[in-house]
Amino acid sequence: MTSTQHPADQHPADRHDIIRVEGANENNLKNVSVDLPKRRLTVFTGVSGSGKSSLVFGTIAAESQRMINETYSSFVQGFMPSLARPDVDSLDGLTTAIIVDQERMGANSRSTVGTATDANAMLRILFSRLGQPYVGSPNAFSFNIPSSQTSGTRTTSTGTTTVVENETYLGGMCPRCEGMGRVNDIDLSQLFDDSKSLLDGALTIPGYTVDGWMVRIFTASGFFDPAKPIRDFTEAERNDFLYKDPVKVKIDSINMTYEGLVPKIQKSMLSKDVDALQPHIRAFVERAVTFTLCPECGGTRLNAGARSSKINGISIADACAMQISDLAEWAAAIVDPSVAPLMANLRRLLDSFVTIGLGYLSLDRPSGTLSGGEAQRTKMIRHLGSSLTDVTYVFDEPTVGLHPHDIQRMNELLLQLRDKGNTVLVVEHKPEAIAIADHIVDLGPGAGTAGGEIVFEGTLEGLRASGTLTGRHLDDRAHLKSAVRASTGALGVRGATSHNLQNVDVDVPLGVLVVVTGVAGSGKSSLIHGSVATREGVVAIDQGAIRGSRRSNPATYTGLLDPIRTAFAKANGVKPALFSANSEGACPACNGNGLIFTDLGPMATVSTVCEECEGRRFQASVLEYRLGGKNISEVLTMPVSEAERFFAAGDAKLPAAHAILDRLVDVGLGYLTLGQPLTTLSGGERQRLKLATQMGDKGWIYVLDEPTTGLHLADVENLLGLLDRLVDSGKSVIVIEHHQAVMAHADWIIDLGPGAGHDGGRIVFEGTPADLVAARSTLTGQHLAEYVGG
């Protein structure tokens, strides 16, 4: 519409220029109403827990997906996840929503970057057409399809029968590792001491004592001399001892089944879920089982036939192992009219990886090993070349895991999506990403119950002048410290070669705050998690998701509920189990959920507050027991900050609980309620909850992986204070980080690079932040100098 055109002159179809939200109350939102411009880039800001995700993901995107699902038949909907209608009065002007979030990609061991993005599928077709020698159809190059041979009678749906004899179906799966690339072998040295005999206690397996039946079967089997050291067994005796198939033997007139030690251990211990084993048996299994590259396929997952076919001297296994930026160059050199459309799509896909800053990955990288930021950018790739317009793209902190150098490139990609006529909604904290917004929505003023309101709508300049928490901190710049701490020692790393590291030698100072930085893919995580985090006394806090159902909450996850239940039981002379909503104290009507869930088949599952306990989750008789004047339900509805004061003094004084609550307040989670389901927490809240929990571990070196993820500008200062307190208490803190405020606050910086993938993996700077700024010799130094100068 032009400035002179009256709305009445518009075509009716051109009047739907906004997404209108009215009366949103999802999670902590307080009757929020907002109009969002279509075909523009809108950034949502606010402190963690202020309601950004509840508005963008829980309301707008959720309703869009639910309405799309309803266009399918009830039969089809029965196979789809049921989505409840968000708590909102009305939503108008919605378009199809595509959510690109930070959820880790499935950790299925058969899923790789190539299979997740269809790059593998294109390569399989390419090699089946141009590969020499010819091996077979695309299936012959798939590590998920085994070769098979069949004989018999084939009957079609029309009743026609055909006799099939030795019909072969070629797949690419390596038969030894079944397409996994790795084989698990049992370390025999962990099963027995071969210098001893069985009667002298050679077996070192839990439960295998000399006088027990487990060992008696071996000593009385008659297959070998139990008094002879195992190292002296003949080859036949050793084979009978370790690998013999099940056979009936008579021991003390009792018929029993004898089988070799290895299959016996595999059936009794290794076939079970490791997490379900008793601690001492789990420790044994973790020692005894080693995972190694498959000796037959060399970790490529493919059989010899698939590996033998090549194009320009490169097999499909070689192509998948290449860094994607190199693979793009190889693909660009293949010019054959018969596969021209295929190559155009493959080149576009590979170029998208490079454009988005993931050119350092390889297609054979297991998708479960990608970080949250890498996973989000990988999902984004499929949308970059899309012809769709008038779609709503929803992003959750797309700059997570990006070096300042890479954020500009991400901004360009977001603007590219917008310029194609799409609505782009972004939840963000980084000032560089907020700066490109056409429209900004700031939520707050605080977090949890203190948030859930829109405190500002408008432009960047308007936000700066608004006086909101975000507006006041938008131009914050950390300063270089006038003096840095002196190290108390060093942790030496020598010859590190994990992933792309190039024989790295480095001394990590102890007793100080060390920041490890560098562009995405430069080798930071490979260095720290591969060579430091595994050492004794190190507490590593990564970005792995918290596992928890809707029954899990901060009180159960942190272990806080255990001392509280014990204190309630002691004060009232009853069992602790009564004070668990998952045990004897649970309301029988809702089984301790507080909600009744009604499954309506293909329709959305409906949840209603339990009428018997009124959402309190406990039996009425349990709520009569009190501690410090409050019952267990009232305690679980307390915010952390209130609970900290409650358990600090008086009748409810409980040092064990207070210590945990103190750490939760320390990491800025004072506004959470103790019983809030983990499923409702934002990404930033979950990470800080994990940090607070593991701060209680007995370690003297803390490794944190991007702790500013999900943190508002105002909260970064609190995080720096927390890191200082850890160091001042005698701990060593190592932080993998991109945020310039954390770099500026460091005592020592280790910068990796100069690029990503095989262009990185080297130490390009070691020293103080001031020296890095003065030198400006690396990308990090240049950006940090610009940051502190601003």
Side-chain angles (χ1 to χ4, degrees), residues 581 587 590 592 594 609-610 612-619 623 631-633 636:
C587 166
C590 63
V609 175
C610 174
E612 188 161 325
C613 69
E614 297 180 336
R616 295 187 182 94
R617 304 177 64 194
F618 293 90
Q619 300 172 23
L623 299 180
N631 63 37
I632 185 67
S633 178
L636 289 175

Side-chain angles (χ1 to χ4, degrees), residues 317-659:
D318 299 331
C320 290
M322 278 184 184
Q323 186 167 303
I324 289 175
S325 56
D326 296 337
L327 181 61
E329 293 178 13
W330 173 79
I334 297 176
V335 181
D336 190 307
S338 66
V339 291
L342 172 70
M343 291 310 300
N345 285 333
L346 179 60
R347 281 194 286 266
R348 188 184 305 119
L349 177 64
L350 297 177
D351 288 343
S352 294
F353 269 103
V354 178
T355 301
I356 211 165
L358 293 178
Y360 60 87
L361 297 178
S362 60
L363 295 182
D364 62 3
R365 169 93 172 258
S367 56
T369 64
L370 299 181
S371 69
E374 288 171 333
Q376 181 170 221
R377 297 199 292 283
T378 300
K379 294 175 198 171
M380 189 178 177
I381 283 170
R382 70 184 63 181
H383 305 300
L384 291 181
S386 172
S387 301
L388 292 173
T389 60
D390 263 330
V391 169
T392 298
Y393 286 98
V394 185
F395 291 93
D396 185 10
E397 288 192 71
T399 60
V400 162
L402 286 183
H403 188 271
H405 173 69
D406 299 315
I407 291 178
Q408 181 59 39
R409 185 159 42 182
M410 175 57 71
N411 285 346
E412 290 168 2
L413 294 171
L414 293 174
L415 293 172
Q416 179 185 325
L417 285 174
R418 179 205 64 184
D419 293 345
K420 286 171 60 178
N422 298 305
T423 304
V424 182
L425 307 180
V426 181
V427 174
E428 253 305 344
H429 292 293
K430 295 276 177 67
E432 302 96 319
I434 297 172
I436 65 167
D438 300 307
H439 188 70
I440 298 171
V441 178
D442 192 19
L443 283 96
T449 55
E453 302 173 37
I454 291 179
V455 293
F456 172 79
E457 277 187 87
T459 63
L460 182 66
E461 291 309 314
L463 177 63
R464 279 199 175 96
S466 66
T468 66
L469 195 61
T470 305
R472 294 198 306 271
H473 289 273
L474 195 59
D475 294 315
D476 278 1
R477 290 292 184 271
H479 301 290
L480 296 174
K481 291 195 291 192
S482 56
V484 296
R485 301 177 183 92
S487 68
T488 57
L491 195 68
V493 175
R494 297 290 177 267
T497 55
S498 176
H499 297 125
N500 67 326
L501 295 179
Q502 300 184 23
N503 206 32
V504 168
D505 294 335
V506 65
D507 290 315
V508 182
L510 298 177
V512 297
L513 175 59
V514 177
V515 171
V516 180
T517 188
V519 296
S522 59
K524 304 180 299 297
S525 296
S526 299
L527 175 64
I528 300 303
H529 289 297
S531 301
V532 175
T534 54
R535 302 193 186 189
E536 188 178 351
V538 176
V539 177
I541 303 169
D542 61 17
Q543 295 185 46
I546 291 176
R547 292 180 181 175
S549 67
R550 57 188 172 214
R551 288 180 174 273
S552 303
N553 53 52
T556 58
Y557 180 76
T558 59
L560 172 65
L561 200 55
D562 293 332
I564 291 177
R565 285 203 311 257
T566 304
F568 263 97
K570 189 175 180 182
N572 294 280
V574 293
K575 293 189 296 185
L578 284 175
F579 303 100
S580 170
N582 299 324
S583 188
E584 293 181 27
C587 166
C590 63
N591 294 321
N593 276 309
L595 299 169
I596 302 290
F597 296 94
T598 308
D599 184 4
L600 299 179
M603 307 305 173
T605 298
V606 175
S607 61
T608 53
V609 175
C610 174
E611 293 181 2
E612 188 161 325
C613 69
E614 297 180 336
R616 295 187 182 94
R617 304 177 64 194
F618 293 90
Q619 300 172 23
S621 59
V622 173
L623 299 180
E624 294 175 6
Y625 300 118
R626 295 185 174 269
L627 176 69
K630 293 187 180 291
N631 63 37
I632 185 67
S633 178
E634 290 169 336
V635 167
L636 289 175
T637 56
M638 281 184 182
V640 167
S641 54
E642 182 185 336
E644 187 211 15
R645 295 189 296 272
F646 178 73
F647 289 110
D651 295 339
K653 185 174 182 180
L654 196 57
H658 184 262

Side-chain angles (χ1 to χ4, degrees), residues 67-323:
M67 296 184 78
I68 290 170
N69 288 358
E70 284 189 349
T71 64
Y72 297 103
S73 68
S74 295
F75 175 77
V76 173
Q77 287 183 53
F79 297 96
M80 303 170 74
S82 58
L83 302 170
R85 187 182 188 279
D87 188 357
V88 60
D89 293 341
S90 72
L91 280 164
D92 188 42
L94 290 179
T95 67
T96 302
I98 295 176
I99 299 173
V100 189
D101 58 19
Q102 287 182 46
E103 288 299 317
R104 299 287 183 102
M105 299 179 79
N108 186 317
S109 52
R110 293 191 176 279
S111 174
T112 64
V113 170
T115 60
T117 58
D118 291 339
N120 265 46
M122 295 186 212
L123 282 175
R124 291 199 301 269
I125 297 171
L126 175 65
F127 275 87
S128 71
R129 299 292 185 273
L130 302 184
Q132 292 297 327
Y134 175 78
V135 173
S137 70
N139 285 350
F141 296 92
S142 171
F143 56 75
N144 286 325
I145 299 177
S147 293
S148 60
Q149 197 173 63
T150 185
S151 297
T153 304
R154 181 192 293 127
T155 304
T156 67
S157 59
T158 59
T160 305
T161 59
T162 309
V163 176
V164 176
E165 196 168 325
N166 294 331
E167 189 169 273
T168 300
Y169 298 92
L170 281 178
M173 178 186 289
C174 168
R176 170 72 188 275
C177 64
E178 297 183 347
M180 305 295 281
R182 299 174 75 82
V183 290
N184 58 333
D185 289 324
I186 294 180
D187 183 356
L188 298 180
S189 67
Q190 296 294 334
L191 304 186
F192 53 82
D193 178 353
D194 67 358
S195 66
K196 295 181 180 179
S197 69
L198 292 173
L199 293 178
D200 289 335
L203 297 183
T204 55
I205 306 163
Y208 282 66
T209 55
V210 175
D211 55 351
W213 268 105
M214 304 298 279
V215 175
R216 183 75 185 278
I217 294 174
F218 287 95
T219 57
S221 66
F223 293 118
F224 37 76
D225 182 358
K228 184 164 64 171
I230 293 174
R231 67 169 55 151
D232 295 335
F233 280 3
T234 64
E235 187 174 339
E237 288 175 331
R238 188 178 178 85
N239 190 66
D240 286 342
F241 170 55
L242 292 177
Y243 305 110
K244 193 172 183 67
D245 292 331
V247 61
K248 291 291 183 182
V249 294
K250 185 166 284 191
I251 298 174
D252 292 344
S253 302
I254 301 172
N255 287 323
M256 303 191 74
T257 300
Y258 173 91
E259 65 179 329
L261 183 63
V262 169
K264 193 177 187 71
I265 293 298
Q266 286 175 328
K267 290 176 184 175
S268 63
M269 296 182 183
L270 304 189
S271 62
K272 298 177 181 176
D273 181 6
V274 175
D275 293 330
L277 297 172
Q278 293 175 299
H280 68 291
I281 297 179
R282 181 167 64 240
F284 162 74
V285 169
E286 289 171 349
R287 286 196 315 271
V289 180
T290 56
F291 292 90
T292 56
L293 284 180
C294 173
E296 195 161 309
C297 68
T300 64
R301 305 169 179 245
L302 294 160
N303 59 30
R307 301 196 308 271
S308 68
S309 184
K310 297 186 178 183
I311 300 174
N312 297 339
I314 298 293
S315 69
I316 190 169
D318 299 331
C320 290
M322 278 184 184
Q323 186 167 303

